[in-house]
Amino acid sequence: MDQHHDTFDQAALILRCLRGEATSAEQQQLQIWLAADPRHEALYRDLQDPEQLAAGIAFQETIDVQADWEAVQARISTPPPVRRPVWIKLAAWTAAAAAVVTGIVWLYSRPENSRDARIVADQSHTFRNDVLPGGNQAVLQLGNGKTVALGSNGSQTITEADGTTIQRGNGSLVYTDASDSATTSLYNTLTTNRAGQYQLTLEDGTKVWLNAASSLTFPVHFNGAERKVALTGEGYFEVAANARQPFKVTVNGVDVLVLGTSFNIGAYDHTVNTTLVSGAVKVQLPGKRSWQLVPGQQARVQHEQVSITYADTEKAIAWKEGIFYFKDDDLRDIMEQVARWYDLELDFKGPLPTGKISGNISRQARLSQVLEMLNYVSGAHFDIRGRKVSVGL
């Protein structure tokens, strides 16, 4: 039987013993297991502590155990078998069983030279304080330069200089369709700071989600031959189809041309990543050089050099669905994402873990929970002091 199945069998045995349901033979089997390794006894002692078990359950509910298992398997010397084991659905287990499995997985997958094994939820005690996640907050700049602070709660009608009404509510803005009566060229800018996000419906019905530290500048009404907006940071677009009036997103000197489609653009640095979810887009550089994408492709533009690859679209838009999604990512890149959402200052202390990291966790988790998962899958250590986080081995 492979090690993964052994893990679930051992977890079931431990749970039966903890609940007083084990037979004499099973109790003897547990004693043999405890005597085989001092780490087994330490883990079992932790699991007998109600506070430790409750913390383990809470932590387990925030992580993707399968992704983390794959990550820790990559860190141990013995390669995993080619045949993928059959996963027991976690839904069939109690939360306590999942917490026990988490503890055993960590016990067997940790490098031998790492710190003493304890159920991973105990890591929460190493953090000095905590930081809450970001939320729906932004600033809208109107055509006359006036600004309006936007939050999650409450509804409000905002009126532009030409009489256009903008409905605000539940973390979103909706612009009214002014048909052919509006001719004034008014531009608005929606800006999210670090730890902010917001959703916007433009006059034509196009929906835009802005990630943290991003902005979108757009006309209140689309009157010209094309619908043109300017983006900084990251945004996800669901463009309303209109063959007579193509939609264009300009970001860092790159134009993304569409008729009606869904795509994500990330441009926090000098690189522009356009990931097509559905429909078709054309990525165009100065000089009219262009590349057309099909669904599932990503165009990466860096210093006017373009590469087209197939991408994980779920990963590209996970932020919009409220998830941190990591797949074969470097810790430094992951921490940059985390820093934008929790408004952090990062301090990297010496070398970082070199392995790739996979896993996912809700963007509504507290910072300590995110760092616990990253500690779990990478071995990195974190120290939170206000909004400054030190990262190192």
Side-chain angles (χ1 to χ4, degrees):
M1 183 176 294
D2 61 51
Q3 186 184 55
H4 191 188
H5 282 123
D6 288 341
T7 296
F8 281 98
D9 290 343
Q10 193 60 51
L13 173 64
I14 290 173
L15 281 170
R16 287 196 296 274
C17 291
L18 288 172
R19 292 169 176 165
E21 301 171 352
T23 65
S24 297
E26 287 173 334
Q27 291 174 1
Q28 185 177 4
Q29 184 181 351
L30 175 66
Q31 292 304 316
I32 294 172
W33 184 77
L34 292 175
D37 192 324
R39 298 176 300 169
H40 296 178
E41 186 176 353
L43 174 63
Y44 190 69
R45 187 169 55 248
D46 281 340
L47 293 171
Q48 289 176 300
D49 183 341
E51 292 185 2
Q52 292 289 342
L53 186 57
I57 292 170
F59 175 71
Q60 186 276 332
E61 289 174 346
T62 69
I63 65 175
D64 183 326
V65 176
Q66 180 169 358
D68 292 344
W69 173 265
E70 293 172 352
V72 296
Q73 282 283 52
R75 291 167 50 210
I76 60 178
S77 56
T78 303
V82 175
R83 180 180 61 83
R84 294 180 61 85
V86 178
W87 275 86
I88 298 175
K89 297 295 186 181
L90 286 180
W93 287 68
T94 64
V100 174
V101 170
T102 300
I104 297 176
V105 166
W106 169 249
L107 179 66
Y108 285 119
S109 60
R110 59 186 280 274
E112 288 301 319
N113 60 355
S114 66
R115 62 196 183 286
D116 290 341
R118 293 181 65 83
I119 189 166
V120 70
D122 195 39
Q123 300 299 327
S124 61
H125 298 301
T126 68
F127 296 114
R128 297 177 181 273
N129 48 47
D130 212 342
V131 178
L132 296 178
N136 294 322
Q137 52 184 339
V139 174
L140 176 66
Q141 180 175 305
L142 300 174
N144 60 5
K146 179 183 176 181
T147 59
V148 181
L150 306 171
S152 296
N153 300 323
S155 59
Q156 177 184 6
T157 298
I158 303 170
T159 304
E160 252 293 2
D162 65 350
T164 298
T165 58
I166 309 163
Q167 297 295 330
R168 166 203 166 191
N170 298 322
S172 67
L173 292 176
V174 178
Y175 281 69
T176 58
D177 183 355
S179 65
D180 297 328
S181 60
T183 57
T184 307
S185 296
L186 285 174
Y187 283 82
N188 285 184
T189 298
L190 183 65
T191 302
T192 58
N193 294 322
R194 292 163 68 91
Q197 64 180 14
Y198 224 76
Q199 196 261 320
L200 167 70
T201 301
L202 300 173
E203 175 208 28
D204 66 334
T206 292
K207 295 182 179 180
V208 185
W209 286 258
L210 284 183
N211 205 348
S214 304
S215 71
L216 187 77
T217 298
F218 54 94
V220 174
H221 307 293
F222 293 113
N223 295 316
E226 63 183 7
R227 297 168 289 169
K228 185 175 181 178
V229 302
L231 172 73
T232 65
E234 184 168 25
Y236 174 77
F237 295 78
E238 291 182 355
V239 176
N242 185 345
R244 296 173 300 174
Q245 200 177 30
F247 195 95
K248 177 189 291 185
V249 182
T250 298
V251 52
N252 288 2
V254 177
D255 289 336
V256 179
L257 311 175
V258 302
L259 292 177
T261 186
S262 301
F263 59 97
N264 191 83
I265 301 177
Y268 282 115
D269 49 28
H270 297 296
T271 302
V272 178
N273 292 311
T274 302
T275 307
L276 181 61
V277 177
S278 64
V281 301
K282 182 185 293 184
V283 176
Q284 182 172 295
L285 271 61
K288 302 302 182 182
R289 292 179 296 153
S290 64
W291 294 259
Q292 185 159 326
L293 305 184
V294 299
Q297 285 187 327
Q298 180 182 85
R300 180 181 178 87
V301 183
Q302 187 173 33
H303 305 303
E304 296 197 359
Q305 299 298 313
V306 180
S307 61
I308 308 295
T309 60
Y310 280 92
D312 185 336
T313 56
E314 290 185 4
K315 177 182 176 182
I317 67 172
W319 67 268
K320 176 245 182 186
E321 303 299 329
I323 299 171
F324 286 114
Y325 185 125
F326 312 129
K327 188 172 183 180
D328 297 328
D329 290 330
D330 295 323
L331 180 62
R332 183 180 291 270
D333 293 338
I334 289 172
M335 287 307 300
E336 293 293 344
Q337 294 182 50
V338 172
R340 281 192 293 269
W341 185 235
Y342 292 89
D343 190 14
L344 305 176
E345 177 186 350
L346 299 178
D347 182 16
F348 294 101
K349 300 283 191 180
L352 298 177
T354 57
K356 300 295 185 180
I357 298 173
S358 297
N360 62 65
I361 190 167
S362 169
R363 277 165 56 110
Q364 294 307 307
R366 298 186 304 276
L367 176 62
S368 63
Q369 293 174 303
V370 176
L371 299 186
E372 282 167 10
M373 188 198 80
L374 293 175
N375 166 272
Y376 172 53
V377 297
S378 73
H381 289 268
F382 307 91
D383 185 19
I384 308 174
R385 296 175 184 266
R387 291 193 177 272
K388 184 174 182 179
V389 176
S390 298
V391 187
L393 286 171

